Amino acid sequence: MSTPSFRDYLFAPDHPRVAEIRGLNAREYAEAAKTDSFAGPMIEGWQKLYPQPFAGITSDGVRREGLFPLAPARAGEEGPTADMVAAARKLLGTITPEQAGKLSYAVDAPEWQSWANPEFMQHDTGLRLDELGEPVRDAILGVVEASLSGEGFELVRNLMRINGFLGDLVELPLLMNEFSYNFALYGEPSETEPWGWQLFGHHAAINCLVAGSQLVISPVFMGAEPDMIDAGPHRGVKVFKERIALARQLMGALPADLRSLAVAYGSMVDPAMPEGRIHPGDERHLGGCFQDNRVIPYEGILVADMPVEARELLDAVVDDFIGYLPDGPRAARRREIQEQYGETYFSWIGGWEGDGAFYFRLQSPVVVLELDHHTGVFLSNDEPAPFHMHTVVRTPNGNDYGRELVKQATA
């Protein structure tokens, strides 16, 4: 059986899904989406969650303290703080006073929690890249580049390019383009005091805080519909292929009894699922936008019970998830995650053989990693497909947005 192609699921140009919103820009669609049959209920549900006082994701409703001490990073684990500060100051020197007023917030502002990953702009936080001149836009991307690894920055840019490719495919370039993203600064750029930035829009949301030499990039949402570009100047771009292959290999490396225990539900839409387990927008993943205080119970099997081969594959999955981090912070995050393997759970939904859709989650006191294949939003597939996925990285127990570090720094 051949792998399904996203091009088999393109809407006809006159289909109401795309024809009725053609010509709308992001601000116009932000209003139209409120009454849209698909987006409207999601917006209404999310409005109840923002702004709520931040507590953090937990597994049982009780936040575990003491996991994220504010201290200088260990040798070899330092963040690129000086480069980040230089890039942020260059940006501040490029913008107008009016733009500066819209760009910057307090380091602990609730607007941190306003990010979202759909194509509609629910919250107009910071500056919108597709409304800016090239010098300001380049300076913003310079801050992002200074904060991420080379491969991390390239992945973010490729997700933005895929968004532009999708906008062209469905003839909605005003709504979805390479720069239809918001960017905000939080706090004053400093080599000693906490500050950070946020970039968010369709299928890409990154929240970054640096406190001295410690770097926290979480929550992170990265996704794609489709997962590749097969025409135009960026032809050949593909995303998440290795992560998906590693996850399948990991399931194959588990003994049959452990694999059976890891599978929470055998199919992506399973009659055994409780009401509400599948969200209309997030589908199976649990740590998306506006879920900052969600209780996510552990499921599946303990990583400590995995055989060596499976655990090595899991290490590779983790490395792929956190590959957006520069070398030093990536080493710190890898160590932090591995130190909790005795309390880390791995769970799965769907099949694992072949090329079908699936979901998995790795969860511990210090991390939540999720990958979920989705039905179409701007493609017509009504079942989860391997060419549309969402991935999520969360830091539970209070350190999303580096909030635990900020709390200690301002105590």
Side-chain angles (χ1 to χ4, degrees):
M1 183 177 178
S2 62
T3 303
S5 167
F6 73 88
R7 286 195 174 271
D8 297 332
Y9 297 95
L10 291 173
F11 287 109
D14 60 350
H15 191 283
R17 176 70 186 101
V18 290
E20 290 180 357
I21 58 177
R22 185 162 292 126
L24 297 182
N25 63 29
R27 297 185 183 281
E28 292 165 340
Y29 184 56
E31 289 302 312
K34 294 176 183 177
T35 57
D36 180 86
S37 60
F38 176 71
M42 283 193 291
I43 294 171
E44 185 177 349
W46 285 333
Q47 283 175 334
K48 299 173 184 176
L49 301 175
Y50 174 82
Q52 288 184 355
F54 177 82
I57 287 173
T58 63
S59 63
D60 58 5
V62 179
R63 196 166 101 171
R64 189 160 160 180
E65 304 294 343
L67 293 169
F68 309 104
L70 177 66
R74 297 183 185 184
E77 297 183 352
E78 300 92 345
T81 310
D83 291 343
M84 293 172 63
V85 170
R89 288 176 177 165
K90 179 179 178 180
L91 168 61
L92 291 171
T94 306
I95 57 179
T96 67
E98 180 182 2
Q99 289 171 331
K102 295 180 65 176
L103 174 69
S104 296
Y105 300 83
V107 72
D108 57 354
E111 282 82 2
W112 266 120
Q113 297 164 245
S114 70
W115 68 271
N117 57 278
E119 77 287 349
F120 52 82
M121 185 171 60
Q122 188 166 351
H123 295 284
D124 186 20
T125 304
L127 299 175
R128 181 108 175 148
L129 270 66
D130 62 6
E131 298 175 345
L132 300 172
E134 190 171 346
V136 176
R137 196 167 63 209
D138 287 349
I140 286 173
L141 292 174
V143 177
V144 178
E145 184 173 17
S147 310
L148 304 180
S149 65
E151 59 266 39
F153 181 67
E154 185 65 11
L155 176 56
V156 171
R157 292 293 288 118
N158 281 339
L159 298 180
M160 297 168 71
R161 291 168 183 138
I162 289 174
N163 189 55
F165 175 65
L166 176 63
D168 290 339
L169 273 179
V170 298
E171 300 179 22
L172 296 171
L174 297 178
L175 178 59
M176 293 183 292
N177 60 72
E178 185 178 344
F179 300 109
S180 52
Y181 296 85
N182 283 50
F183 180 87
L185 282 180
Y186 293 88
E188 185 73 23
S190 167
E191 294 194 26
T192 55
E193 299 301 315
W195 68 278
W197 57 264
Q198 172 184 71
L199 175 77
F200 70 91
H202 193 210
H203 281 145
I206 302 96
N207 296 278
C208 174
L209 180 124
V210 63
S213 54
Q214 276 203 65
L215 182 70
V216 176
I217 303 184
S218 175
V220 172
F221 182 105
M222 295 183 183
E225 182 194 25
D227 64 343
M228 63 182 295
I229 298 175
D230 65 357
H234 300 297
R235 181 178 180 178
V237 164
K238 298 178 181 180
V239 292
F240 305 121
K241 299 292 189 181
E242 182 175 359
R243 189 175 308 181
I244 289 166
L246 286 167
R248 294 191 197 279
Q249 291 171 38
L250 167 58
M251 283 294 280
L254 292 174
D257 57 339
L258 274 183
R259 187 187 310 124
S260 177
L261 292 171
V263 176
Y265 300 100
S267 62
M268 294 291 273
V269 181
D270 197 308
M273 289 177 172
E275 183 179 356
R277 180 60 185 87
I278 298 180
H279 182 273
D282 292 336
E283 298 198 16
R284 282 146 296 275
H285 73 74
L286 303 173
C289 57
F290 309 111
Q291 303 300 326
D292 296 306
N293 299 333
R294 186 162 191 162
V295 176
I296 304 176
Y298 292 128
E299 289 182 298
I301 60 174
L302 276 167
V303 169
D305 292 336
M306 290 181 176
V308 172
E309 180 187 357
R311 202 178 311 177
E312 288 175 348
L313 286 163
L314 180 70
D315 287 340
V317 170
V318 170
D319 276 347
D320 195 76
F321 261 101
I322 64 173
Y324 55 79
L325 289 165
D327 288 346
R330 191 186 316 179
R333 188 65 162 144
R334 182 188 300 116
R335 172 182 53 77
E336 180 180 69
I337 292 170
Q338 291 179 345
E339 285 174 351
Q340 295 290 337
Y341 271 178
E343 297 183 60
T344 302
Y345 288 80
F346 175 78
S347 60
W348 189 276
I349 296 175
W352 60 277
E353 296 178 292
D355 57 12
F358 62 81
Y359 161 91
F360 72 85
R361 180 170 80 253
L362 186 75
Q363 181 179 355
S364 81
V366 298
V367 76
V368 177
L369 306 178
E370 297 181 281
L371 185 148
D372 189 25
H373 286 114
H374 278 221
T375 54
V377 176
F378 287 98
L379 299 173
S380 65
N381 56 295
D382 56 9
E383 294 184 0
F387 48 74
H388 182 189
M389 73 287 293
H390 289 183
T391 76
V392 176
V393 180
R394 284 284 194 164
T395 306
N397 290 301
N399 210 33
D400 271 334
Y401 315 100
R403 192 65 61 87
E404 182 61 26
L405 301 184
V406 172
K407 185 175 75 171
Q408 294 173 56
T410 57

